[in-house]
């Protein structure tokens, strides 16, 4: 767990990187290009974020960590990539090579490494908030969205400054309409690898799965950059044949992983129902996204906003309890897991009283 000083340092690094990135982009785009780039790049941000939050319905990740992931992608990863990619391009040019090869050979390695660092940092600093593949996908998505947003500002603003409005419209369609999920999808491979490592008790899996995920992320990123540098017809063909199936496959995997979380919650909470801590109906509700939504609506109708908050907290605690029990069964739980378990059960009982007044602990 990072100390307070550690998190302050992280915030300062993100803020400083963001400021430097802002200065670098403005120097290339000019004020008008910057404003136009920000306005257009923001168009896909919220819909894409909504997709990732939809995946994260069983145990919503802390807003602070989601903001950290987005900020790291938008500031630290972007600034680092701009500096390293530019330096690499100049080094290739000086050695007599083709500097455009940076986009395929250097940028994917640099950018996926920098983005993946945020997911790894979250795992190391807040292990309790990282339960598996879905969490890895969500955090990776936030990092990728932040990175794509700032990168799009640069490309759109520079296009407007150099070529005018018609070319700007083309770049907007290619980057913000046709491929808003590109960077989040690449980095999701790293997130999946780290998510598998978080659930595994096998030391070899803990090492190899993040590395393999990173390799896949770099490969997908390189393939995308290669297709983007090709002729328009080749780009469209690769987009249809490769990128669209990859996106469909990613969505299928993400939905499967979320449904698996529901089954895990049902299985691991059943024992608590048998011991009297939970009612069987509560276990069924906690294992279903639809029933969770209905339960929050019911709580709001009978008890108002306070009861709805209590129900929402009850559901979040139930998910956390189920995932803790899974780690305990796998032998990957922390030494104080028993204490955490009792604290979660007590907290659930307290929240239950918030939407069912007069009902004490089970």
């Amino acid at each position: 767990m990072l100390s307070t000083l550690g998190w302050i340092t992280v915030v300062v690094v993100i803020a400083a990187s963001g400021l430097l990135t802002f200065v670098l982009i403005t120097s290339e785009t000019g004020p008008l290009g910057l404003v136009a780039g920000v306005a257009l790049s923001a168009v896909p941000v919220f819909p894409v974020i909504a997709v990732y939050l939809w995946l994260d319905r069983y145990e919503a990740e802390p807003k602070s960590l989601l903001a950290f992931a987005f900020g790291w992608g938008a500031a630290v990863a972007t600034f680092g990539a701009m500096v390293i990619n530019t330096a690499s391009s100049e080094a290739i040019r000086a050695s007599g090579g083709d500097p455009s090869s940076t986009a395929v050979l250097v940028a994917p390695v640099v950018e996926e490494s920098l983005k993946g660092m945020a997911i790894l940092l979250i795992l190391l600093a807040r292990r309790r908030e990282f339960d598996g593949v879905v969490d890895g996908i969500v955090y990776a998505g936030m990092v990728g969205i932040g990175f794509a947003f700032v990168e799009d500002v640069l490309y759109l603003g520079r296009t407007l400054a150099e070529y005018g409005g018609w070319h700007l419209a083309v770049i907007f369609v290619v980057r913000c309409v046709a491929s808003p999920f590109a960077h989040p999808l690449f980095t999701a491979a790293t997130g999946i690898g780290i998510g598998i490592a978080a659930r595994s008790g096998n030391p070899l899996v803990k090492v190899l799965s993040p590395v393999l995920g990173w390799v896949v992320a770099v490969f997908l990123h390189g393939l995308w950059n290669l297709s983007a540098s090709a002729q328009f017809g080749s780009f469209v063909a690769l987009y249809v044949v490769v990128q669209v199936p990859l996106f469909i496959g990613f969505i299928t995997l993400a939905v499967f992983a979320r449904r698996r979380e529901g089954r895990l919650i049902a299985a691991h909470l059943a024992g608590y129902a048998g011991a009297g801590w939970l009612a069987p109906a509560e276990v069924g509700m906690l294992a279903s996204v639809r029933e969770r939504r209905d339960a929050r609506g019911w709580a709001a109708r009978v008890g108002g906003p306070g009861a709805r908050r209590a129900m929402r907290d009850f559901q979040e605690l139930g998910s956390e309890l189920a995932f803790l029990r899974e780690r305990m069964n796998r032998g990957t739980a922390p030494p104080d897991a028993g204490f955490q378990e009792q604290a979660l059960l007590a907290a659930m009982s307290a929240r239950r009283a918030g939407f069912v007044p007069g009902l004490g602990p089970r």
Side-chain angles (χ1 to χ4, degrees), residues 103-104 108 111-112 115 148 151-152 155 171 173-183 185-186 216-230 234-240 242-244 246-247:
V104 177
E111 294 173 13
E112 294 311 320
K115 288 187 288 180
E151 188 180 63
D152 286 346
Y155 278 93
I171 296 299
V173 170
V174 171
R175 297 188 66 89
C176 299
V177 177
S179 58
F181 285 92
H183 273 288
L185 189 151
F186 305 149
V216 173
V218 170
F219 172 76
L220 294 177
H221 195 154
L223 183 63
W224 171 259
N225 286 0
L226 179 64
S227 68
S229 64
S234 299
F235 169 76
V236 172
L238 284 170
Y239 182 84
V240 173
V242 177
Q243 299 299 334
V244 171
L246 278 174
F247 176 73

Side-chain angles (χ1 to χ4, degrees), residues 43 145 164 320:
V43 171
I145 293 167
E320 190 173 345

